[in-house]
């Protein structure tokens, strides 16, 4: 270690009780606290000859920090990077679906490497499979009074305003579906900072017995769920991949009979499929199995619809059969279809019925990114940006919660010139619609009434499709499509 690094000329002395190692990059002394009688902290102990008798090595769990070699065994027991015990609600691959790796070739060439004939055949397949689909979704752009003040805050920047508009519309749609009420548990998938749950909680005011479970697989900064201190609402954050989440094992849901409402804002690609399977297959189906008969059949057998209405009019509400259902509804803003995965996709049966398979799905999911090619330069300008594009090739072109756009390796400029930008956008939207239609068919098979609608203007977000679903025995509002 260079002496000049330890005792640099013209620098102040280290603070009392702090490390005496001078960090050249930061042009200051290390600020770590040192042990009594020591000059350097543990990380810089090797800088001093008198403290160099004990060797420090890289931690095998996380090489970003070091540890004394003779204390390695003790350190491994308490290192923050050690593998922690799995919680009860962690069940490996419970929501992964069937593993069809054998259907997917080891190597698939990128779309940019396909010949014009191969690409034309793919597009023909897509158009044939999409025949009869309603390509024009209903506008269901809404708002909610809970966000009125926030929406009108003059301090909002463009990004904040866009997110607030989306949250307000999602909240309005939740209320429109009659899912905003007391005595229920909202499970927010891909929760991030938890702002969607935050606004749901504000909208519910003092509603009784409302719980929030926020699911996020990565550590998140600036979370808002910790700010809630209302007596009637409880926030619980689970750091887990949706692929391994078993809702039945969460104490809150296993002890209390609260209907679950699955929500999400910009739930990327495969996460949407995992969340749907988590809700309607893993959780709802197992809850039904614990009952003697399916819920809809029990209600029908106990009382007819006319008898129920008669009892309600006569004031005999106690005699009305209980209409509790494990999953009361689903409201998810979709995102990033190019990140879907055939292994986890819930609409495989739908694709197979159309004569499509894993390879077709792979190319359709990649082509779905063309739906956002309006954000790029036109093909006439492609030659001027081709060099820059090669430097920026990263997976994804969709809008994420940070409001940014990314250029994909299958970007519009790299394709044969027989398609215009507008044609590519239409094909991208068709790919998205076909993938989402598989999700619709899946939910229908599982006893739900699903719908797709635009929940926000494309100028606010190009990812502006909302997937909603209610159990078949529920009465959907007239305005839902």
């Amino acid at each position: 270690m260079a002496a000049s690094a330890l005792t640099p000329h013209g620098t102040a002395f280290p603070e009392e009780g702090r490390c005496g190692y001078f960090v050249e990059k930061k042009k200051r002394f290390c600020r770590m606290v040192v042990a009594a009688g020591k000059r350097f902290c543990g990380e810089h102990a090797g800088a001093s000859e008198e403290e160099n008798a004990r060797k420090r090595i890289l931690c095998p769990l996380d090489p970003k920090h070091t540890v004394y070699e003779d204390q390695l065994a003790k350190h491994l027991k308490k290192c923050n990077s050690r593998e922690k015990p799995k919680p009860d609600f962690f069940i490996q691959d419970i929501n992964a679906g069937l593993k069809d790796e054998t259907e997917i070739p080891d190597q698939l060439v990128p779309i940019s490497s396909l010949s014009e004939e191969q690409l034309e055949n793919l597009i023909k397949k897509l158009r044939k499979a999409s025949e009869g689909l309603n390509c024009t979704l209903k506008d269901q752009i809404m708002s909610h009074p809970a966000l009125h003040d926030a929406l009108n805050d003059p301090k909002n920047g463009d990004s904040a305003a866009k997110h607030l508009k989306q949250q307000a519309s999602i909240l309005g749609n939740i209320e429109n579906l009659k899912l905003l009420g007391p005595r229920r548990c909202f499970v927010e998938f891909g929760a991030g900072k938890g702002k969607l749950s935050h606004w749901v909680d504000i909208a519910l005011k003092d509603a009784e017995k409302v719980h929030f479970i926020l699911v996020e697989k990565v550590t998140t900064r600036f979370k808002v769920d910790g700010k809630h201190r209302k007596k009637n609402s409880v926030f619980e954050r689970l750091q887990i991949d949706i692929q391994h989440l078993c809702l039945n094992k969460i104490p809150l849901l296993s002890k209390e009979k609260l209907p679950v409402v699955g929500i999400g804002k910009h739930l990327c690609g495969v996460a949407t499929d995992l969340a749907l399977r988590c809700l309607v297959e893993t959780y709802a189906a197992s809850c039904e199995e614990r009952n003697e008969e399916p819920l809809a059949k029990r209600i029908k057998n106990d009382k007819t619809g006319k008898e129920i209405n008669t009892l309600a009019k006569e004031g005999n509400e106690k005699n009305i059969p209980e209409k509790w259902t494990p999953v009361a509804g689903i409201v998810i803003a979709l995102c990033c279809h190019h990140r879907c995965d055939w292994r986890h996709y819930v609409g495989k049966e739908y694709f197979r019925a159309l004569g499509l398979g894993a390879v077709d799905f792979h190319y359709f999911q990649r082509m779905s990114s063309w739906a956002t090619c309006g954000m790029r330069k036109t093909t006439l300008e492609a030659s001027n940006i081709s060099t820059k594009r090669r430097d920026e090739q990263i997976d994804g072109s969709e809008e994420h919660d940070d409001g940014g756009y990314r250029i994909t390796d299958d970007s519009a400029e790299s394709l044969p010139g027989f398609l215009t930008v507008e044609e590519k956008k239409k094909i991208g939207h068709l790919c998205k619609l076909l993938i989402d239609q598989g999700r619709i068919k899946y939910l229908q098979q599982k006893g739900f009434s699903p719908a797709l609608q635009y929940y926000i203007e494309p100028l606010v977000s190009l990812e502006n499709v909302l997937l909603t679903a209610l159990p078949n025995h529920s009465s959907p509002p007239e305005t839902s499509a």
Side-chain angles (χ1 to χ4, degrees):
M1 199 68 65
S4 60
L6 300 177
T7 56
H9 298 288
T11 59
F13 291 100
E15 298 176 31
E16 187 177 353
R18 304 287 175 167
C19 178
Y21 179 80
F22 187 79
V23 185
E24 280 287 354
K25 185 177 180 181
K26 298 182 178 180
K27 302 299 180 185
R28 63 167 174 78
F29 286 96
C30 171
R31 293 172 180 163
M32 293 290 287
V33 177
V34 296
K38 299 291 184 180
R39 182 183 172 193
F40 300 99
C41 68
E43 286 296 310
H44 300 124
S48 170
E49 291 183 3
E50 64 269 19
E51 296 186 18
N52 202 26
R54 300 173 66 190
K55 183 181 178 182
R56 291 189 71 85
I57 59 174
L58 295 176
C59 173
L61 299 179
D62 181 4
K64 291 180 180 178
H65 64 274
T66 61
V67 60
Y68 282 117
E69 187 175 28
D70 56 4
Q71 289 187 338
L72 178 61
K74 182 180 179 181
H75 171 79
L76 292 178
K77 294 179 181 179
K78 61 180 182 179
C79 178
N80 289 333
S81 299
R82 71 190 185 282
E83 185 176 357
K84 299 174 179 62
K86 302 295 184 186
D88 292 339
F89 51 80
F90 179 99
I91 299 181
Q92 186 73 34
D93 294 329
I94 188 172
N95 302 314
L98 298 174
K99 296 182 179 180
D100 297 312
E101 289 88 346
T102 54
E103 296 184 28
I104 308 173
D106 293 334
Q107 289 185 340
L108 287 167
V109 298
I111 291 181
S112 55
S113 299
L114 294 177
S115 68
E116 189 171 312
E117 182 181 359
Q118 289 174 314
L119 190 58
E120 284 179 334
N121 289 334
L122 270 176
I123 295 171
K124 286 178 183 177
K125 269 189 176 184
L126 172 67
R127 286 176 173 153
K128 183 179 179 181
S130 304
E131 287 177 0
L133 290 183
N134 181 13
C135 299
T136 305
L137 303 183
K138 182 178 179 180
D139 284 333
Q140 196 77 348
I141 301 170
M142 309 188 77
S143 190
H144 196 279
L147 286 92
H148 180 269
D149 291 341
L151 284 167
N152 293 287
D153 189 343
K155 296 180 181 179
N156 288 335
D158 289 341
S159 178
K162 287 181 178 182
H163 287 300
L164 287 169
K165 288 178 182 178
Q166 293 174 71
Q167 290 154 356
S169 184
I170 294 173
L171 192 55
N173 276 277
I174 293 173
E175 185 173 54
N176 185 56
L177 293 167
K178 301 178 182 177
L179 296 174
L180 199 62
R183 300 187 61 81
R184 61 197 61 199
C185 178
F186 292 87
V187 180
E188 183 180 357
F189 294 95
K193 298 175 184 177
K195 287 191 175 180
L196 184 55
S197 292
H198 164 79
W199 290 115
V200 172
D201 186 45
I202 289 177
L204 287 170
K205 297 180 180 178
D206 296 322
E208 294 183 359
K209 214 167 187 179
V210 178
H211 294 267
F212 294 90
I213 296 176
L214 282 64
V215 182
E216 179 58 66
K217 71 176 181 179
V218 297
T219 304
T220 308
R221 300 177 66 194
F222 310 117
K223 299 183 288 289
V224 297
D225 38 295
K227 299 177 181 178
H228 292 263
R229 295 289 184 270
K230 293 196 319 190
K231 294 181 180 178
N232 296 326
S233 59
V234 177
F235 279 73
E236 182 177 358
R237 180 173 284 266
L238 309 180
Q239 187 175 336
I240 185 174
D241 193 316
I242 305 170
Q243 184 171 333
H244 315 301
L245 173 61
C246 180
L247 291 177
N248 294 310
K249 299 291 185 179
I250 297 176
L252 169 66
L253 294 177
S254 60
K255 292 177 183 178
E256 301 197 37
K257 206 173 185 182
L258 292 176
V260 166
V261 179
I263 60 176
K265 175 178 175 285
H266 285 177
L267 195 57
C268 290
V270 66
T272 296
D273 296 303
L274 296 173
L276 292 178
R277 190 176 282 111
C278 176
L279 287 167
V280 306
E281 193 169 328
T282 307
Y283 181 64
S286 62
C287 288
E288 290 289 352
E289 287 175 3
R290 289 201 296 266
N291 296 321
E292 294 180 1
E293 294 179 294
L295 178 64
K297 189 176 180 181
R298 282 205 318 277
I299 294 174
K300 185 176 180 181
N301 288 344
D302 291 342
K303 299 287 180 184
T304 64
K306 290 182 179 179
E307 289 174 322
I308 292 172
N309 291 334
T310 302
L311 287 171
K313 289 178 181 178
E314 293 175 354
N316 296 323
E317 289 86 352
K318 292 182 181 180
N319 296 323
I320 299 175
E322 186 179 9
K323 288 189 177 182
W324 176 82
T325 182
V327 178
I330 300 169
V331 182
I332 294 175
L334 303 175
C335 182
C336 299
H337 293 70
H338 68 281
R339 291 190 174 184
C340 291
D341 191 318
W342 176 256
R343 292 169 295 181
H344 307 306
Y345 180 52
V346 295
K348 288 180 193 158
E349 289 185 23
Y350 174 70
F351 261 63
R352 288 170 180 148
L354 294 171
L356 304 173
V359 175
D360 301 305
F361 180 84
H362 168 79
Y363 286 118
F364 290 165
Q365 66 159 106
R366 301 305 303 159
M367 289 158 62
S368 71
S369 65
W370 296 358
T372 59
C373 67
M375 295 302 298
R376 309 186 185 104
K377 301 288 184 181
T378 63
T379 50
L380 295 175
E381 298 169 311
S383 58
N384 296 328
I385 64 167
S386 57
T387 304
K388 180 181 179 182
R389 180 181 60 78
R390 282 193 292 271
D391 295 336
E392 293 177 335
Q393 281 181 349
I394 56 176
D395 186 22
S397 65
E398 318 288 352
E399 182 190 10
H400 294 262
D401 263 2
D402 59 3
Y405 291 90
R406 300 203 296 257
I407 296 178
T408 150
D409 57 344
D410 296 327
S411 59
E413 294 83 8
S414 63
L415 295 168
F418 70 93
L419 292 172
T420 66
V421 170
E422 285 304 313
E423 286 173 335
K424 289 166 187 168
K425 285 173 64 178
K426 289 179 181 178
I427 290 169
H429 283 295
L430 264 186
C431 291
K432 285 176 175 285
L433 184 64
L434 192 66
I435 292 171
D436 290 338
Q437 190 63 26
R439 292 163 171 166
I440 292 290
K441 294 295 183 183
Y442 169 81
L443 288 168
Q444 288 174 343
Q445 291 174 358
K446 297 299 179 180
F448 284 77
S449 298
L452 296 169
Q453 52 262 317
Y454 294 122
Y455 78 99
I456 204 71
E457 300 89 349
L459 288 176
V460 175
S461 173
L462 291 177
E463 293 289 6
N464 61 340
V465 175
L466 190 70
L467 172 65
T468 63
L470 295 172
N472 282 335
H473 57 78
S474 297
S475 299
E478 296 177 0
T479 51
S480 65

